Amino acid sequence: MAFTQAQGRYASFKTVASIPGEVIDAFWFIIDYQLKGVITMGPKIDFQLINSSGFLSIRFSQKESPTTITVDFDYPFDHEWPTIFHAIDQSGRETIITDHE
């Protein structure tokens, strides 16, 4: 089962260059506190950044499942950000990447 035995957590250079660290931390927060133990996650999960009345919401989804979860944050949304990111688990090495990587 993916995202259960983290040996290291990373974000790609494109991710770090395109969104603030607080947003990257929000992905890990969702994985750790909203998904683990609730949803069986595959080795690749998807996140969509959403403008919710000027604040950030992040939607989790997987291609293999119709289930989605949206988590709202009290963090301003920036229209310059890319909107699609992925979390990849490669044998415990977990990495956030942009949609174009």
Side-chain angles (χ1 to χ4, degrees):
M1 191 164 20
F3 297 98
T4 58
Q5 302 290 328
Q7 296 175 12
R9 286 192 160 164
Y10 311 92
S12 70
F13 177 78
K14 285 186 179 184
T15 298
V16 172
S18 64
I19 57 174
E22 292 88 352
V23 178
I24 297 168
D25 291 343
F27 296 136
W28 301 126
F29 175 85
I30 292 169
I31 290 169
D32 289 341
Y33 298 104
Q34 305 293 321
L35 302 176
K36 279 186 181 178
V38 177
I39 302 286
T40 301
M41 293 176 278
K44 177 185 174 193
I45 59 177
D46 304 317
F47 292 105
Q48 179 183 5
L49 304 185
I50 300 168
N51 181 0
S52 184
S53 299
F55 291 96
L56 175 65
S57 292
I58 301 177
R59 180 176 296 137
F60 154 83
S61 65
Q62 298 184 97
K63 290 189 187 212
E64 306 83 32
S65 172
T67 302
T68 64
I69 296 174
T70 302
V71 180
D72 299 323
F73 292 89
D74 188 19
Y75 192 86
F77 183 85
D78 187 329
H79 294 281
E80 299 290 320
W81 295 338
T83 57
I84 304 294
F85 291 86
H86 309 284
I88 307 294
D89 183 343
Q90 296 173 313
S91 301
R93 184 178 171 169
E94 301 172 1
T95 308
I96 303 294
I97 63 172
T98 67
D99 191 39
H100 301 291
E101 295 181 276

